[in-house]
Amino acid sequence: MPLHGTASCGPQAERPVSPRLHLSALPPAELRQRLRSRNGLRLQLGRFVAGIRSNFDSVAEGLHALYADYPVASDDDFCDYPVEVRSSGLRRYVRPQAIFRFEGMQPFKPLPGDQAVAMLEWGLNWVFTNHAQHYLIIHAAVLERDGLGLVMAAPPGSGKSTLCAALALRGWRLLSDELAMVGLDDGLLMPLPRPVSLKNQSIDIVRQLPGQPVIGPIAHDTAKGTVAHMRAPRASVEAALKPVQPRWILFPQFAAGHALDIEANGKAHTFMQLVSNSFNYPRLGVTGFEAMDRLVDGCDGYTARYGSLDQIVPALESICTRSA
Amino acid sequence: MTAVQWSLVTPEAMSVLNWPDGSVLYNARTTTTTMLAPTAGAIVARLKAGPADTDALAEVLPSDDDLPLSELLDALARHGIVRAAG
């Protein structure tokens, strides 16, 4: 029997949002207690409420570091996504393993217990990707500048998250580091600001950027190498209910030592590249085709090859000012 | 002699978007999305309005296009997009 409400999305997105306690106001002991409770810690993530359960103290510490500015929903609020990262049995005491569950499903193999925070992040990505079906979902970072949205779509290893973190630290509003969620009805980008996922060298690169980045716990030897997350800027979290009109689509390609090279893309090529980066386009059928058409038609598309943030950041800020 | 008429294989299921750099064809029957050259997209868009013979289809091709219409139609037919009828 599910411990939480049925996971879904859509109509409940219109529910009124009352003033809420922020996670930073919860004393550590209460945070741990809520994570171990039947309903879990109910956290407002954009328009969704996640019910998070965990018996890992490291998850409590990770949430405190990365989600301090997020509103805590009450147990009376509808829980869209009940998730759980826990160890069980003897493995709680000997080389603990982290197991992720969503409504009775266990979509991933267990990971070492010291990767529990990273597993929660990856699990939440999986949940949103596979269950928020009122949106066209593209593997992309999304930011806003002067009221218009930049979608940066790229496969892993393209430098997308590092660039996303750099822009967010320069005052761009972070909508998401991983998922562009395009409304099927209105074509707007739905914010889902969550921590920015950083890997390997990008952790130190971002740590040294101006803007006082807050980096959460570091997980070593994961399938992706060394992984850490940067806390989303408070202003982005506070604006998490304000959707954005998409205006630019960028396909970033980082290559060490590469000179800056930005070229405009035709819309047919942009369309096909977005299809290849979309998680649920095939599942949406003609609705997805129409949503992709609206997205592409309203945006300028670019491919950018670059060798450093010092090259790409000012170039992007010029493009996104000039063509706004 | 009646000229060969060409049509889309599943016109009711096909949607096409045309841009200068190419066209994107969506087939709801097969749930496939295919990128086409602009000239191929122009042919599909014309056939979306109804069957046409080669003379009518030749009118939608740009005058500087060097691919013979017959080869273009054969290629579209091999991909299950168009077919000759009657």
Side-chain angles (χ1 to χ4, degrees):
Chain A
M1 191 175 82
L3 295 177
H4 304 254
T6 305
S8 62
C9 61
Q12 68 273 18
E14 303 304 323
R15 65 193 153 211
V17 176
S18 53
R20 298 200 191 286
L21 180 74
H22 287 163
L23 190 143
S24 59
L26 289 181
E30 185 178 346
L31 178 55
R32 287 195 297 272
Q33 184 272 325
R34 287 201 187 203
L35 287 169
R36 291 167 191 262
S37 69
R38 179 175 174 273
N39 286 327
L41 170 74
R42 296 209 160 174
L43 206 53
Q44 185 90 40
L45 303 175
R47 292 190 175 182
F48 304 113
V49 173
I52 303 169
R53 300 179 68 204
S54 182
N55 57 357
F56 280 99
D57 287 350
S58 62
V59 168
E61 291 156 12
L63 287 169
H64 196 268
L66 296 172
Y67 287 88
D69 301 318
Y70 288 70
V72 175
S74 81
D75 284 356
D76 296 331
D77 287 308
F78 184 87
C79 176
D80 300 283
Y81 301 119
V83 300
E84 184 175 42
V85 177
R86 61 189 307 115
S87 59
S88 59
L90 281 177
R91 295 306 293 258
R92 267 190 289 179
Y93 306 104
V94 182
R95 297 173 65 189
Q97 287 187 322
I99 298 167
F100 179 86
R101 290 197 185 93
F102 168 68
E103 290 214 315
M105 288 181 277
Q106 190 180 319
F108 312 117
K109 289 181 178 172
L111 293 178
D114 59 5
Q115 298 178 20
V117 176
M119 188 175 217
L120 174 61
E121 288 301 311
W122 296 333
L124 285 170
N125 288 341
W126 177 86
V127 167
F128 289 122
T129 299
N130 287 281
H131 295 86
Q133 295 302 325
H134 284 68
Y135 301 91
L136 171 64
I137 304 176
I138 299 164
H139 184 215
V142 187
L143 299 114
E144 177 248 301
R145 182 180 166 92
D146 297 332
L148 296 172
L150 166 67
V151 176
M152 299 195 296
S158 306
K160 167 178 64 69
S161 292
T162 313
L163 178 55
C164 174
L167 293 173
L169 289 167
R170 288 177 62 87
W172 293 55
R173 170 153 75 107
L174 173 70
L175 277 78
S176 177
D177 163 48
E178 283 285 331
L179 307 174
M181 304 184 72
V182 184
L184 296 178
D185 297 327
D186 57 16
L188 299 178
L189 297 163
M190 207 277 283
L192 188 59
R194 290 181 36 235
V196 178
S197 174
L198 303 170
K199 296 190 288 284
N200 303 316
Q201 298 95 323
S202 66
I203 298 169
D204 281 337
I205 291 172
V206 170
R207 199 192 296 277
Q208 291 165 20
L209 291 173
Q212 298 179 315
V214 176
I215 309 290
I218 294 182
H220 298 280
D221 301 321
T222 77
K224 302 180 181 187
T226 301
V227 170
H229 291 80
M230 184 191 88
R231 183 196 289 183
R234 179 183 297 171
S236 300
V237 177
E238 290 173 347
L241 297 178
K242 295 179 185 168
V244 173
Q245 181 73 44
R247 182 66 184 85
W248 306 280
I249 296 166
L250 179 77
F251 300 102
Q253 297 174 9
F254 169 80
H258 205 292
L260 178 66
D261 175 20
I262 299 181
E263 60 185 63
N265 291 338
K267 290 190 183 295
H269 285 84
T270 299
F271 190 111
M272 296 305 290
Q273 274 189 270
L274 287 178
V275 165
S276 68
N277 281 286
S278 174
F279 290 110
N280 65 344
Y281 170 84
R283 220 180 302 165
L284 293 170
V286 73
T287 305
F289 175 77
E290 290 169 353
M292 194 69 88
D293 174 26
R294 191 187 303 140
L295 173 64
V296 170
D297 212 42
C299 291
D300 295 333
Y302 300 91
T303 295
R305 297 171 198 86
Y306 62 98
S308 76
L309 291 173
D310 291 340
Q311 297 169 336
I312 185 66
V313 168
L316 268 183
E317 293 191 334
S318 172
I319 287 172
C320 296
T321 300
R322 191 176 63 230
S323 59
Chain B
M1 191 174 78
T2 307
V4 172
Q5 291 283 306
W6 290 86
S7 66
L8 296 178
V9 173
T10 53
E12 72 288 348
M14 289 179 168
S15 306
V16 65
L17 303 169
N18 295 298
W19 288 296
D21 66 320
S23 300
V24 175
L25 172 69
Y26 179 72
N27 186 335
R29 183 77 56 86
T30 57
T31 67
T32 53
T33 303
T34 309
M35 186 167 171
L36 304 173
T39 48
I43 293 293
V44 171
R46 170 62 186 84
L47 293 176
K48 181 74 180 164
D53 61 24
T54 49
D55 288 344
L57 294 176
E59 289 176 12
V60 305
L61 293 183
S63 56
D64 59 348
D65 194 76
D66 55 1
L67 182 67
L69 177 61
S70 59
E71 285 186 27
L72 178 54
L73 289 168
D74 284 346
L76 290 171
R78 278 199 305 277
H79 285 84
I81 297 169
V82 304
R83 67 181 166 204

